[in-house]
Amino acid sequence: MSARDVFIDGAWESGEGVAFESVCPATGAVSWSGHGASPQQVVRAVTGARAAFDHWSVEPRQRRAEILVRYRDQLAARKSEIAETISRDMGKVLWDAAGEAGAMIGKIDLSSAAQSERAGTKETEAAFGRLQLDHRPHGVMAVFGPFNFPGHLPNGHIVPALLAGNTCVFKPSELAPAVANIMIECLVEAGLPPGCLNLVHGGRDTGAALLESDLDGVLFTGSAKTGIAFHRHFAGRPEIILALEMGGNNPLVAWPPCDAAAAADIIAQGAFLTTGQRCSCTRRLILPEGKWGDDVLSAVAARAEAIRIGPWSDETAFMGPLVSAQAAVAACTFQDMLMARGGRPVVALTQQEPGLGFVSPGIIDVTEAQDVPDEELFGPLIQVTRVATLEQAFARANATKYGLAGGVVCDDDEVWQQSLVRMRAGILNRNRPTAGASGALPFGGSGLSGNHRASAWYAADYCAWPQASQVAPKAARMQAVGFPE
């Protein structure tokens, strides 16, 4: 793998930076090893993208779309390989990784349709000729990928960026780098010209070098801490387009009337899917005081205790490990902090095997806890708060600096209508898990969840800028009061 660390201007080469490896958190086996890109290689990658932009940006849109369709077909042909690569790299159970591979394939057609709707062309007649609207690419975009969806999420930036005529430099997460190489291979087979997509593996040093290079935009999915640092880095530079998706501390309000068992299914799915490693997972459960709330909480606890946990190869497992043994320890430490501040364990999260990433699901009642931090724990841990009124439930739901996802489980239409106007969340689901989003809708939120650059269907908005024109067929004399004849 050492000769395939970096892909610059259409050619693979060895990385000249720091050596690193990715270790599967389910087995401890090395899933990827190599060297990161050096600062000089990052500069070359950006320079190559800049040169490629001159011809890629003026290619007919249909030509760009045809290449991306062939990319879709290449992904489909290697779907099983992509899924297993993701699973071996970051531990995701195989059926979940197969879903991610499917989302990567579906992204091409969705992005093409979204571009036509949101960033296409439009002409209308005017008295002097016509009004014309078109969209132009920004230039060179840096794409930073996360570990939880190492294929789907960066793919969701790269595909619309390329369709719009941009070129890209892709830095995957060092915790799950392996699938990036397959993505590059598929695009090369599809006929993407050299320089249009470059790959630089590496850690923080590689990312820092990329931020310091000659960019026109940064497309990022990851933690709020990192996203804020990116935003601060480009302060005072409005010419740089930033699309930042930074997660959330997501609430779900469960309220009667509703079947308690059905509510528990929705809650458990939203909290524990992908071992809690989705930015839209349920982090905070808000329940009413009384028997119905007791019944729901007992049912969620029963599901948490019964969830099957196993390695990615276990076809019967619902949850795999967290991304690393360090992440498992961090989840336990976070839970200890909650209990030290007055949280009561309903079901305690525990690390299953030292040195690996396996943890069991946890539920902590924080109703009486004090000074609970508004932080996103990326793991299968629910914080439960009991309230007396629906008004209090909405207040608790909005008591966060984030605003990515939220949910309401209730059969009362009036409660749902109130939720739509009262709850502050970019993705707000009813009687569905919070960790469920459609690529045919925007994906993004308010507060520290991002910078109002929603992705998915709305990615077309940040991948191109609008160009408005007034067009007359021929030059004609202009007349105005006080203007010389």
Side-chain angles (χ1 to χ4, degrees):
M1 194 67 85
S2 61
R4 298 169 65 79
D5 302 333
V6 177
F7 187 76
I8 299 175
D9 208 16
W12 291 100
E13 56 188 76
S14 298
E16 299 170 354
V18 177
F20 73 98
E21 61 185 21
S22 176
V23 176
C24 178
T27 64
V30 174
S31 55
W32 190 95
S33 63
H35 286 74
S38 67
Q40 293 78 15
Q41 287 177 308
V42 171
V43 170
R44 287 177 46 225
V46 174
T47 301
R50 179 71 59 197
F53 176 75
D54 289 341
H55 61 79
W56 180 248
S57 61
V58 297
E59 282 278 2
R61 291 180 183 178
Q62 183 59 33
R63 161 72 174 157
R64 297 197 298 260
E66 289 170 356
I67 291 174
L68 270 297
V69 167
R70 292 199 293 272
Y71 172 56
R72 177 199 65 194
D73 296 341
Q74 289 292 320
L75 292 175
R78 300 178 68 173
K79 181 179 177 180
S80 296
E81 179 189 358
I82 289 168
E84 185 169 327
T85 299
I86 292 170
S87 290
R88 288 183 181 275
D89 218 13
M90 55 79 64
K92 184 181 295 186
V93 290
L94 192 56
W95 62 263
D96 199 1
E100 178 175 354
M104 293 171 67
I105 296 164
K107 177 57 64 176
I108 285 77
D109 290 344
L110 281 169
S111 294
S112 294
Q115 187 189 42
S116 296
E117 177 184 298
R118 302 193 62 81
T121 60
K122 181 180 178 181
E123 290 189 3
T124 56
E125 293 301 317
F128 53 80
R130 69 180 186 273
L131 304 178
Q132 183 173 300
L133 171 66
D134 211 331
H135 290 79
R136 305 298 178 207
H138 295 284
V140 177
M141 312 289 263
V143 177
F144 288 81
F147 69 79
N148 61 331
F149 284 87
H152 171 53
L153 289 178
N155 194 63
H157 291 309
I158 291 168
V159 169
L162 290 175
L163 279 171
N166 301 283
T167 56
C168 300
V169 179
F170 174 26
K171 195 205 89 65
S173 168
E174 62 272 27
L175 297 177
V179 73
N181 288 47
I182 298 177
M183 294 166 64
I184 294 292
E185 292 166 1
C186 289
L187 278 163
V188 170
E189 286 296 320
L192 186 71
C196 291
L197 179 61
N198 303 269
L199 174 66
V200 289
H201 281 296
R204 182 173 297 181
D205 290 346
T206 302
L210 185 53
L211 291 178
E212 292 290 346
S213 60
D214 179 24
L215 301 173
D216 297 292
V218 175
L219 313 181
F220 167 78
T221 304
S223 71
K225 180 180 179 181
T226 302
I228 291 168
F230 285 10
H231 194 270
R232 186 178 296 115
H233 178 84
F234 289 105
R237 297 188 62 189
E239 76 277 12
I240 305 294
I241 187 77
L242 297 179
L244 308 174
E245 196 276 283
M246 303 185 291
N249 195 10
N250 308 307
L252 186 145
V253 175
W255 210 258
C258 180
D259 179 74
D265 286 342
I266 293 166
I267 294 162
Q269 286 265 355
F272 305 138
L273 189 64
T274 317
T275 320
Q277 295 176 118
R278 296 191 182 201
C279 55
S280 55
C281 277
T282 301
R283 310 293 180 201
R284 299 180 294 127
L285 172 61
I286 301 162
L287 292 171
E289 298 169 350
K291 184 179 184 304
W292 187 85
D294 293 342
D295 291 344
V296 171
L297 185 55
S298 295
V300 176
R303 283 153 178 76
E305 292 173 330
I307 281 176
R308 184 173 178 83
I309 304 166
W312 63 267
S313 55
D314 184 347
E315 296 181 355
T316 66
F318 178 79
M319 272 179 33
L322 292 176
V323 71
S324 67
Q326 292 81 6
V329 172
C332 294
T333 301
F334 190 89
Q335 177 181 249
D336 291 343
M337 177 272 298
L338 293 177
M339 291 191 289
R341 299 187 184 199
R344 180 181 63 83
V346 178
V347 176
L349 177 149
T350 60
Q351 186 173 9
Q352 303 291 287
E353 299 180 52
L356 298 178
F358 291 105
V359 296
S360 63
I363 304 171
I364 305 296
D365 189 328
V366 297
T367 305
E368 304 299 328
Q370 301 294 317
D371 301 321
V372 175
D374 182 21
E375 296 180 11
E376 178 188 36
L377 174 71
F378 226 52
L381 182 66
I382 308 175
Q383 300 175 49
V384 181
T385 302
R386 306 297 293 270
V387 296
T389 67
L390 187 59
E391 185 77 16
Q392 291 174 349
F394 291 147
R396 291 302 306 162
N398 288 333
T400 176
K401 58 193 174 187
Y402 299 94
L404 179 61
V408 178
V409 179
C410 182
D411 294 345
D412 187 331
D413 291 344
E414 177 58 29
V415 171
W416 170 240
Q417 291 303 318
Q418 290 187 52
S419 304
L420 284 171
V421 297
R422 299 291 300 280
M423 291 180 65
R424 190 176 64 249
I427 301 114
L428 185 63
N429 293 344
R430 180 187 182 188
N431 294 329
R432 295 286 298 165
T434 60
S438 169
L441 294 172
F443 187 91
S446 60
L448 289 187
S449 288
N451 65 330
H452 307 289
R453 298 283 184 185
S455 61
W457 192 259
Y458 278 28
D461 294 19
Y462 59 69
C463 288
W465 51 273
Q467 183 182 67
S469 303
Q470 300 180 36
V471 181
K474 60 175 64 177
R477 294 294 307 274
M478 305 293 291
Q479 295 181 352
V481 175
F483 191 77
E485 296 184 4

